[in-house]
Every structure is written in C-alpha cells, then in structure tokens.
Amino acid sequence: MRLGVCYYPEHWPETMWEDDAKRMKALGIKQVRIGEFAWSRIEPSPGDLRWDWLDRAIGTLAAQGLEVVMCTPTATPPKWLIDRHDDVLAVDANGRQRAFGSRRHYDFSSDSYFEESQRIVRLLGERYGRHPAVTAWQTDNEYGCHQTVVSYSASAQRRFRGWLRARYGTIDALNTAWGTVFWSMEYRSFDEIDAPIGTVTEAHPSHRLDYQRFASDEVARYNRMQVDILRAHSPGRVMVHNFMQMFLEFDHYPVAADLDVASWDSYPLGALEVMWFPPEEKARWLRTGHPDFASFNHDLYRGMSTQPFWVMEQQPGPVNWAHWNPHPLPGMVRLWSWEAFAHGAGCVSYFRWRQVPFAQEQMHAGLNRPDNRLDVGGVEAERVAQEIDRVEHAAGALAQPRGKVALLFDYSAKWLFEIHYQGADFQYARFAFDYYSALRSLGLDVDIVPLDASLDGYAMIVAPPLPVIPDDLPARLEKSGAQVVFGPRSGSKTVSLQIPPTLPPGALQSILPIRVWRVESLRPQVTEPVQLGELKGRAAHWRDLVESDDAGVQTLARFADGHPAVLKHQRMHYLAAIFDADFTAGYFEQVAAAAGLAPQRLADGLRLQRRGGLTFALNYADAAVTLPQAAGADFIVGGPELPPQGVAIYRGAQE
Ligand code: GAL
C-alpha cells in the first residue's frame, strides 16, 4: 500500500522542484507520475528533442528516493504534428473534424498518428527505459475521455471494412448475420460499407454494434503498440494505463490483458454529479460521493489487473469539470484512500500535487493550494501515509480481497442496449451498479468479473441484464454450483443482434427453461407493483413477460396483473423486470442466504470490506454508527463507534 502523486514539473519554475520533491517525500509519497501531457516541451518542433529539463526533473525526484511513473504524452499531440498530417484529428458523428486546442484530439485509426506515436514512445523508451528511478510506465492518458473512442474518419472507415472482412469472411455471411435484406440494405462487397452515420433514420443496429466493437478493438491495438515498444526498451517495469470511472465505451478487458496494472481515476464527487443519479441522491451524497461508486470501480479494476490495481488519480478536493463542484467533507480524502486499499489497491496517487493557476483546470484542487500551502487533501494524505505504516506494521502485507459473490460484467452489453434500446432509460451501467449496490448494502464482498472468468468458489453469481450469452456460459454457471440471478433482457439477443430463434433468454434456456414472449418498457414515473411474500416492491423501466411449460420452473412472485415477476429453476433465478433498490436487496438477501452466505442489512452509508484477515469499515453517512459484530475485535485504526466519514480497520471480529 503506497501513496503517489501526479506532478507537472513543466508547469512550475525549476526553482520549486527540489522543494516539491522533499515535501512529497516528507508527506509519505512514494511514487510520482509525470509527463503525460508534456509533448510540446519534449519536442517543441519536429525532431527538436529537449530532454534536458526532463532529465533534471526525474533526477530531482530520484534524489529524494521517489519512484517515477513515466507517461507517454500521446493524449496531447502538439500543434505542429496536427498541421503536418491531415488525418490525425478524429471525426465526430456529424462528420465534423475535431479541432486542436484541448486534448485527446487524435484518431485511433490514423496511420500517421500511429507512426508518430510509435516514434515518440520509442524515443522515451530509449531515453528513460532503463533509468533506475523509472519503475512504471503509463500509456497515454484516459483512453476515450471526452468521447474519443469512436471516429468516423476516412481512415476509420477503411480499417472498419478490413475488420468486417476478417470477422465475416464473405459479404454474404455479413448480410445474413446483420439481416440487411430488411429495407434493401444488402451489400455486394465490403467496400460498399460506410460508417453508420448520416442515415435518414436509425442506421442498422447490427452495423452500429459492429462499428463500436471495431472502435473498441482499435483502442486495444493502439495500446498494445505502446506496450510492446516500452517492454522492449524498459525491461521489468510495470505497464499501466489509467482508465476512467464507470466508462464503458470500449472493452477494457483486452486492453488490461496487455498491461501489468489496471489503474483508474477516481473522482467520486464529479462522478455523482455527472452520472445518472436522481437529484435527491445527488443532494444526499453531495460531499461524500455515493457509498458504492468508487468501490464499484475498485472491484471492477481489481478483476482485470494482473498485479494489484492502482488509483492513478484520486480526487483531492473540488474538481472543475462537473456542473457543480462541491468540496468534500473533511475526512473524505482519507476515507476514499482507505476504501481503495480495502478493495485491494496497491497504490493511491493523488491528482495533483498543486493546484495550477492557469488554463482549463485552474479551479481543480491539488494536495497543495496555488500559493503552495498544504491543502486539506494534503493533510489527509499525510495522515493516510502514517496509518499505512501502522496497518502494515500490525498486519504485514495484505492479500487481495476475494468475494463469495461475483457480478458478471460485459462492456458490449452497454453498447447493445444503447444502440437498440427499446426503452429510452435502459442504462446498463446504472442497472449493473444498482445490483452491485444492493449486494454491498447487505455487507457482501463482491468481485466484478468478465464473462470468461473462472467461476470456481463463488456461492452467488449475479448477472445484470446480459443480452448476449456466450455459448459456454450456461454450462459454466451450472457447474459453478452457485445460486445465479439474471436480470431482465438476459439472453435477449444473438451475437449479431437478432432475436434468438427460440425467443429470449435464448442460450440460457438450457439451464432456465422459460420464454420471454413479449417485453415492455415503462416511461419514468410508471411502475408496476410486485409482491413476494412479505417483500413488496415496484418494477420500473422495463418488464419481460415470461411463460414456461416446464414443471420445474417456480414463479415466486407475480405482478398485480398476473405476469410472473420472479422465477426460479433449481439454482437459476430470473428477475423479469428492473425492481426498486429495496426489493432487489430483499431478494438478493434471500438468494445469498440460500447460497450459505451471511447477508446483513448495513446501516445507511456504512460499508464493510474484508481484505487479508482485516475488516475495513467506512462511514459515508452524516451520523455516527456502531459497527455490527465488532465485539472483541482488535482495532488497528478507529474503534467500534464510527463517526461520520470515519474509517475503522480491525481484525478478529465475527465474520
Ligand atoms: C482526469 C484526467 C486528468 C485531469 C483530471 C481532472 O480525467 O486524467 O488529466 O484532467 O481528470 O479531474
């Protein structure tokens, strides 16, 4: 468990660097990330390489024993590079080329940018690859940020055709898979296929889905290029990319597979503000963030990281980029840091060392204020550094957390539901989060895993709406022995986005013999009551209408109009709608108990996480709480009475 910081020596007079490095060290910082936006200082004009300042910056940090996470600067190609090649800037869905003047203004499919990137990455690798202080490399910065995964440029279109050829082999196979006979959209060759934009009404959904899959593959290809070069020049160093929070525009699993560490950038207050949360939730958690939001991302990235995941950027105070930017309650920077470690983080790195008084992010806090006095976040980071020492002294190195509950996560489900939505608010990320949040409110530790993960050892597996079922998944779920819960719309489409011939849930029918014969989406404010014994709730957003002629299928709950709402066949459970949070948690509680787990309804805002024989308790609420089952526990941090925004770390409590 170590702390890091993001630092921009190019923003500050060189006379400040040594003092900065000394103060970082004194604060307890171990690693410093630099360079991700510094291309115009490294190469102010084509081929004019200025390493001297960067050599000195690295040397200054190294002299204090700080490790350097060196970044490739490819998120910000300089002006001269844009002017040299006319295909670097990406093209948006309106066919308009993006402009220079911010960042991420490049097209993953541009050949010239691919080559320019190879060149600058190689130069950096040659220069710093074997530097003893450089222990890790970050590729680029936040792939896809600012809606930059998909480009509709001529280069993207050309590469898309090649991608389709490789996927389908013949144009007839593509025509059949997509169903292009509808509206006379049949193609005679791959060369006739354009990007799916500019059509009169909606473009063919299978075409759009494939375009998104292609764009996702382009990100993986681009990252792999950088990683391959860096590995060759920088043996033994850790390869990492900083992914974003709840960002689903490309499939992260294949990208992470090429790295050693998946890291992510955690901005709990900004996220709450810009994501789907209803206004009352935004107000409720205004200065803390939602109690399950950061942890969802921790558990997601832990599940794709070969080595312990990192938080590469941790919110240290107010951000600048949401509609409203409140400041965190005192204690939250500490709580967020401990929450990351509780979920398995190997490093929490704060963004940024000092608030910068110019340009786009001048209103974004740092550990230090622009006047160079330590800010609140800096004080809390220092406390975390001291507490890390205490915890490691008491408990040694902590093993990674391992949940008994797995949540199956699939990036392409998001694309499919967005492209073919049928109900305007059917949002995969939100529903996956709601299931996760229900499980966490029951005190359960959750692993978020991809569809091809090993399912051994899980007692309960939850699949948020999962439209496309891989061929081998039903058998693997059966073999796992776990209680399995599926959300609505599971198995509703084939891989080419068609209705399965035997109706949904298609491939799942081998383990769950039901048929969804009709669906309906529900506009906001429309709900359908449901009752399961004592448990009452409401469905919103969506309903599957289900039939079955298998005597082994039990209908556990029905809607008021008689349609089945919750069904079960042996260990397989099917939720035929999106239910409210209490009903979902109530049902999960029953399933978890059936799975032999010990679910417990936690106090509002309290969250628990187990790691390496320790329990971490975090209080997001504005009232103190008494920890459940902490009698006789040996507290390393905090005690059984947890104040608002408090953290307790203990061992020996009853599980
Ligand atoms: C991240 C980004 C950083 C900085 C930060 C501000 O998305 O990687 O460069 O912009 O947000 O919160």
Short mmCIF file of all heavy atoms in Angstrom, two decimals, residues 4 23 61 66 71 99 101 146 163 210 216 241 261-262 272 293 301 343 351 426 498 522 569 572 581 602 623 641:
data_model
loop_
_atom_site.label_atom_id
_atom_site.label_comp_id
_atom_site.label_asym_id
_atom_site.label_seq_id
_atom_site.Cartn_x
_atom_site.Cartn_y
_atom_site.Cartn_z
N GLY A 4 0.96 7.90 -4.01
CA GLY A 4 1.64 8.57 -5.11
C GLY A 4 1.00 9.92 -5.38
O GLY A 4 0.02 10.30 -4.73
N ARG A 23 9.18 17.83 -0.05
CA ARG A 23 7.89 17.84 0.66
C ARG A 23 7.05 16.60 0.32
O ARG A 23 6.31 16.10 1.16
CB ARG A 23 7.13 19.12 0.35
CG ARG A 23 7.78 20.34 1.05
CD ARG A 23 7.07 21.63 0.69
NE ARG A 23 5.66 21.55 0.99
CZ ARG A 23 4.69 21.94 0.13
NH1 ARG A 23 5.01 22.45 -1.04
NH2 ARG A 23 3.43 21.84 0.48
N LEU A 61 13.50 14.17 -8.53
CA LEU A 61 12.62 13.25 -7.80
C LEU A 61 13.42 12.05 -7.29
O LEU A 61 13.29 11.64 -6.13
CB LEU A 61 11.47 12.78 -8.72
CG LEU A 61 10.53 13.89 -9.20
CD1 LEU A 61 9.62 13.39 -10.33
CD2 LEU A 61 9.69 14.44 -8.05
N LEU A 66 12.23 9.06 -4.66
CA LEU A 66 10.88 8.87 -5.21
C LEU A 66 10.96 8.06 -6.50
O LEU A 66 11.87 8.25 -7.31
CB LEU A 66 10.25 10.23 -5.49
CG LEU A 66 10.03 11.10 -4.25
CD1 LEU A 66 9.80 12.56 -4.64
CD2 LEU A 66 8.84 10.57 -3.45
N CYS A 71 5.08 8.70 -18.20
CA CYS A 71 3.93 8.54 -19.10
C CYS A 71 4.33 8.82 -20.54
O CYS A 71 5.22 9.65 -20.80
CB CYS A 71 2.83 9.53 -18.75
SG CYS A 71 2.25 9.39 -17.08
N ALA A 99 -11.12 19.77 -33.46
CA ALA A 99 -10.13 20.83 -33.58
C ALA A 99 -9.03 20.70 -32.53
O ALA A 99 -9.22 20.07 -31.48
CB ALA A 99 -10.82 22.18 -33.42
N GLY A 101 -6.65 22.30 -29.58
CA GLY A 101 -6.89 23.33 -28.57
C GLY A 101 -7.34 22.79 -27.23
O GLY A 101 -7.57 23.56 -26.30
N HIS A 146 -13.60 12.32 -23.02
CA HIS A 146 -14.20 13.33 -23.90
C HIS A 146 -14.75 12.71 -25.20
O HIS A 146 -14.59 13.27 -26.28
CB HIS A 146 -13.21 14.45 -24.25
CG HIS A 146 -12.38 14.95 -23.12
ND1 HIS A 146 -12.92 15.42 -21.94
CD2 HIS A 146 -11.02 15.02 -22.96
CE1 HIS A 146 -11.94 15.78 -21.12
NE2 HIS A 146 -10.78 15.53 -21.71
N TRP A 163 -11.78 -4.86 -40.91
CA TRP A 163 -12.21 -5.55 -39.68
C TRP A 163 -13.41 -6.44 -39.98
O TRP A 163 -13.48 -7.59 -39.54
CB TRP A 163 -12.56 -4.47 -38.65
CG TRP A 163 -12.93 -4.95 -37.28
CD1 TRP A 163 -12.11 -5.08 -36.21
CD2 TRP A 163 -14.24 -5.32 -36.82
NE1 TRP A 163 -12.82 -5.51 -35.11
CE2 TRP A 163 -14.13 -5.67 -35.46
CE3 TRP A 163 -15.50 -5.39 -37.43
CZ2 TRP A 163 -15.22 -6.08 -34.68
CZ3 TRP A 163 -16.59 -5.81 -36.67
CH2 TRP A 163 -16.44 -6.15 -35.32
N ASP A 210 -21.33 -3.45 -34.59
CA ASP A 210 -20.02 -3.85 -35.10
C ASP A 210 -19.07 -2.66 -35.18
O ASP A 210 -17.86 -2.80 -34.98
CB ASP A 210 -20.15 -4.54 -36.47
CG ASP A 210 -20.37 -6.05 -36.32
OD1 ASP A 210 -20.22 -6.58 -35.20
OD2 ASP A 210 -20.70 -6.71 -37.34
N SER A 216 -13.60 -0.27 -30.42
CA SER A 216 -13.03 -0.79 -29.17
C SER A 216 -11.73 -1.55 -29.46
O SER A 216 -10.72 -1.37 -28.77
CB SER A 216 -14.08 -1.71 -28.53
OG SER A 216 -13.59 -2.29 -27.36
N HIS A 241 -2.15 1.61 -17.46
CA HIS A 241 -2.92 2.69 -18.09
C HIS A 241 -3.92 3.18 -17.06
O HIS A 241 -4.39 2.40 -16.23
CB HIS A 241 -3.65 2.21 -19.35
CG HIS A 241 -4.52 3.26 -19.95
ND1 HIS A 241 -4.00 4.34 -20.63
CD2 HIS A 241 -5.87 3.46 -19.92
CE1 HIS A 241 -5.00 5.14 -21.00
NE2 HIS A 241 -6.13 4.62 -20.58
N VAL A 261 -0.77 -3.61 -14.67
CA VAL A 261 -1.62 -2.98 -13.67
C VAL A 261 -2.73 -2.22 -14.37
O VAL A 261 -2.46 -1.40 -15.25
CB VAL A 261 -0.81 -2.00 -12.78
CG1 VAL A 261 -1.73 -1.14 -11.92
CG2 VAL A 261 0.18 -2.75 -11.90
N ALA A 262 -3.97 -2.50 -13.99
CA ALA A 262 -5.07 -1.63 -14.42
C ALA A 262 -5.22 -0.57 -13.34
O ALA A 262 -5.34 -0.90 -12.16
CB ALA A 262 -6.36 -2.43 -14.55
N LEU A 272 -20.67 11.59 -9.18
CA LEU A 272 -22.05 11.65 -8.69
C LEU A 272 -22.82 12.73 -9.45
O LEU A 272 -23.97 12.55 -9.83
CB LEU A 272 -22.04 11.99 -7.18
CG LEU A 272 -23.41 12.09 -6.55
CD1 LEU A 272 -23.95 10.70 -6.22
CD2 LEU A 272 -23.37 12.93 -5.27
N PHE A 293 -20.00 3.94 -5.29
CA PHE A 293 -19.49 4.28 -6.62
C PHE A 293 -17.99 4.00 -6.79
O PHE A 293 -17.58 3.32 -7.71
CB PHE A 293 -19.79 5.73 -6.99
CG PHE A 293 -19.44 5.99 -8.42
CD1 PHE A 293 -20.29 5.59 -9.43
CD2 PHE A 293 -18.21 6.57 -8.75
CE1 PHE A 293 -19.94 5.76 -10.76
CE2 PHE A 293 -17.87 6.74 -10.08
CZ PHE A 293 -18.73 6.35 -11.09
N TYR A 301 -11.85 -2.91 -11.51
CA TYR A 301 -10.47 -2.88 -12.00
C TYR A 301 -9.60 -3.94 -11.32
O TYR A 301 -8.67 -4.47 -11.93
CB TYR A 301 -9.89 -1.46 -11.87
CG TYR A 301 -10.52 -0.54 -12.90
CD1 TYR A 301 -11.38 0.49 -12.54
CD2 TYR A 301 -10.31 -0.76 -14.26
CE1 TYR A 301 -12.00 1.29 -13.50
CE2 TYR A 301 -10.92 0.03 -15.22
CZ TYR A 301 -11.76 1.05 -14.84
OH TYR A 301 -12.38 1.82 -15.79
N HIS A 343 -10.18 -2.38 -0.90
CA HIS A 343 -10.61 -3.18 -2.06
C HIS A 343 -9.42 -3.75 -2.84
O HIS A 343 -9.62 -4.31 -3.91
CB HIS A 343 -11.52 -2.35 -2.96
CG HIS A 343 -12.89 -2.14 -2.37
ND1 HIS A 343 -13.98 -2.90 -2.73
CD2 HIS A 343 -13.32 -1.30 -1.40
CE1 HIS A 343 -15.04 -2.52 -2.02
NE2 HIS A 343 -14.66 -1.54 -1.21
N PHE A 351 -4.36 13.33 -7.56
CA PHE A 351 -4.27 14.27 -8.67
C PHE A 351 -4.62 15.64 -8.15
O PHE A 351 -5.74 15.91 -7.79
CB PHE A 351 -5.26 13.90 -9.78
CG PHE A 351 -5.17 14.84 -10.94
CD1 PHE A 351 -4.32 14.56 -12.00
CD2 PHE A 351 -5.91 16.01 -10.97
CE1 PHE A 351 -4.22 15.44 -13.07
CE2 PHE A 351 -5.80 16.90 -12.03
CZ PHE A 351 -4.95 16.60 -13.08
N PHE A 426 -33.06 2.61 -20.52
CA PHE A 426 -32.50 1.30 -20.18
C PHE A 426 -30.98 1.42 -20.21
O PHE A 426 -30.33 1.27 -21.24
CB PHE A 426 -32.98 0.23 -21.16
CG PHE A 426 -32.81 -1.15 -20.58
CD1 PHE A 426 -33.83 -1.77 -19.90
CD2 PHE A 426 -31.58 -1.80 -20.67
CE1 PHE A 426 -33.66 -3.03 -19.33
CE2 PHE A 426 -31.39 -3.05 -20.11
CZ PHE A 426 -32.44 -3.67 -19.44
N GLN A 498 -29.71 -10.27 -33.15
CA GLN A 498 -31.01 -10.73 -33.63
C GLN A 498 -31.73 -11.40 -32.45
O GLN A 498 -31.10 -11.82 -31.48
CB GLN A 498 -30.84 -11.76 -34.75
CG GLN A 498 -30.12 -11.18 -35.97
CD GLN A 498 -30.33 -12.00 -37.24
OE1 GLN A 498 -31.14 -12.92 -37.28
NE2 GLN A 498 -29.60 -11.65 -38.28
N LEU A 522 -41.14 0.97 -19.70
CA LEU A 522 -42.04 1.83 -18.92
C LEU A 522 -41.46 3.23 -18.82
O LEU A 522 -40.30 3.38 -18.43
CB LEU A 522 -42.22 1.25 -17.51
CG LEU A 522 -42.72 -0.19 -17.44
CD1 LEU A 522 -42.68 -0.70 -16.00
CD2 LEU A 522 -44.14 -0.29 -17.99
N HIS A 569 -35.56 -21.73 -11.34
CA HIS A 569 -35.45 -23.13 -11.77
C HIS A 569 -34.17 -23.68 -11.16
O HIS A 569 -33.07 -23.23 -11.50
CB HIS A 569 -35.39 -23.21 -13.30
CG HIS A 569 -35.26 -24.62 -13.81
ND1 HIS A 569 -34.08 -25.11 -14.35
CD2 HIS A 569 -36.16 -25.62 -13.86
CE1 HIS A 569 -34.27 -26.37 -14.70
NE2 HIS A 569 -35.53 -26.70 -14.42
N MET A 572 -31.12 -21.40 -10.60
CA MET A 572 -31.15 -20.25 -11.52
C MET A 572 -32.36 -19.36 -11.24
O MET A 572 -33.49 -19.86 -11.20
CB MET A 572 -31.21 -20.74 -12.97
CG MET A 572 -30.10 -21.70 -13.34
SD MET A 572 -28.46 -20.89 -13.27
CE MET A 572 -27.44 -22.29 -12.80
N ALA A 581 -34.69 -0.51 -5.36
CA ALA A 581 -33.50 -0.93 -4.62
C ALA A 581 -33.85 -1.84 -3.45
O ALA A 581 -33.18 -2.86 -3.21
CB ALA A 581 -32.74 0.30 -4.12
N LEU A 602 -26.86 -3.39 6.29
CA LEU A 602 -25.98 -2.43 6.97
C LEU A 602 -26.71 -1.11 7.19
O LEU A 602 -27.62 -0.75 6.43
CB LEU A 602 -24.74 -2.17 6.12
CG LEU A 602 -23.82 -3.36 5.87
CD1 LEU A 602 -22.66 -2.93 4.98
CD2 LEU A 602 -23.29 -3.92 7.19
N ALA A 623 -24.15 10.54 10.21
CA ALA A 623 -24.35 10.21 11.63
C ALA A 623 -23.37 9.12 12.01
O ALA A 623 -22.96 8.32 11.15
CB ALA A 623 -25.78 9.73 11.84
N GLU A 641 -17.18 2.60 17.49
CA GLU A 641 -18.09 3.72 17.19
C GLU A 641 -17.49 4.50 16.03
O GLU A 641 -16.43 5.12 16.17
CB GLU A 641 -18.18 4.66 18.40
CG GLU A 641 -19.06 4.17 19.52
CD GLU A 641 -20.51 4.04 19.09
OE1 GLU A 641 -21.03 4.99 18.46
OE2 GLU A 641 -21.10 2.97 19.34
#
